[in-house]
Amino acid sequence: MPLAIQQLCNGLIRRSIELRALYCHASTRVGEPGLRTVLEEEAQSLGQVIAELQAQLRSHDSAPATRRRMIGAVRHRFDAMLPHSDDAWIRLLARHEQRLLRAFERVLARMEPGDMAAALHRQLPRLHSIDLDMHSLAKAIGVGH
């Protein structure tokens, strides 16, 4: 696998790890039990995306990312320090989710057809589903996505 493709995929894995950590943290901070459950499920879905992309990289004898970016860790600490209402968590997660989806789409646009492109395409429906969930939650609280 070309190094550039490996780096792009590892970048997506790192961003996904960061967002999963944010979902997990938010699920412990929100007050609404139903919202807590939704956020935990979204974190699990992202965990599946991460695991499948890591497995795909391993199948190509490439080392997959296992941690978030340094800037992601700093951003997570900053976000964790701020007091958030349930609505604020939804807005924050919706923005991050949309950024992750766009990142996947940008990487796919740069990739040649092949195993990794197919692996990324298989993750798009799951990411679209998470994005739709967050969009619906944001709409329910009266926030544009």
Side-chain angles (χ1 to χ4, degrees):
M1 168 182 305
L3 183 59
I5 298 298
Q6 181 182 351
Q7 289 173 335
L8 287 172
C9 291
N10 273 329
L12 293 175
I13 291 169
R14 285 184 183 96
R15 289 181 77 136
S16 298
I17 289 170
E18 291 167 17
L19 185 53
R20 180 184 61 189
L22 191 58
Y23 271 108
C24 288
H25 182 73
S27 73
T28 67
R29 303 291 302 261
V30 297
E32 173 61 38
L35 179 57
R36 188 174 307 124
T37 300
V38 168
L39 298 182
E40 289 167 354
E41 289 171 356
E42 304 301 10
Q44 289 172 0
S45 289
L46 280 172
Q48 292 170 345
V49 169
I50 294 162
E52 290 176 24
L53 291 179
Q54 288 171 329
Q56 187 67 28
L57 280 173
R58 282 186 198 102
S59 75
H60 287 277
D61 294 325
S62 297
T66 57
R67 291 183 276 172
R68 56 187 164 197
R69 303 170 297 177
M70 183 65 76
I71 189 69
V74 171
R75 186 178 300 130
H76 177 78
R77 285 192 188 118
F78 177 73
D79 287 340
M81 291 187 322
L82 298 174
H84 290 288
S85 65
D86 289 4
D87 294 356
W89 279 115
I90 291 170
R91 284 191 298 273
L92 179 68
L93 290 165
R95 278 193 310 270
H96 282 279
E97 185 61 47
Q98 190 148 80
R99 287 180 193 147
L100 177 63
L101 180 59
R102 286 184 185 147
F104 265 78
E105 291 169 343
R106 279 192 309 271
V107 168
L108 273 167
R110 295 179 60 187
M111 292 181 89
E112 297 291 325
D115 288 351
M116 280 310 300
L120 293 178
H121 273 291
R122 284 192 301 272
Q123 301 311 315
L124 279 180
R126 186 175 283 142
L127 293 171
H128 280 289
S129 176
I130 296 170
D131 185 57
L132 182 60
D133 288 347
M134 295 312 298
H135 179 73
S136 295
L137 286 171
K139 195 174 186 178
I141 62 167
V143 176
H145 184 57

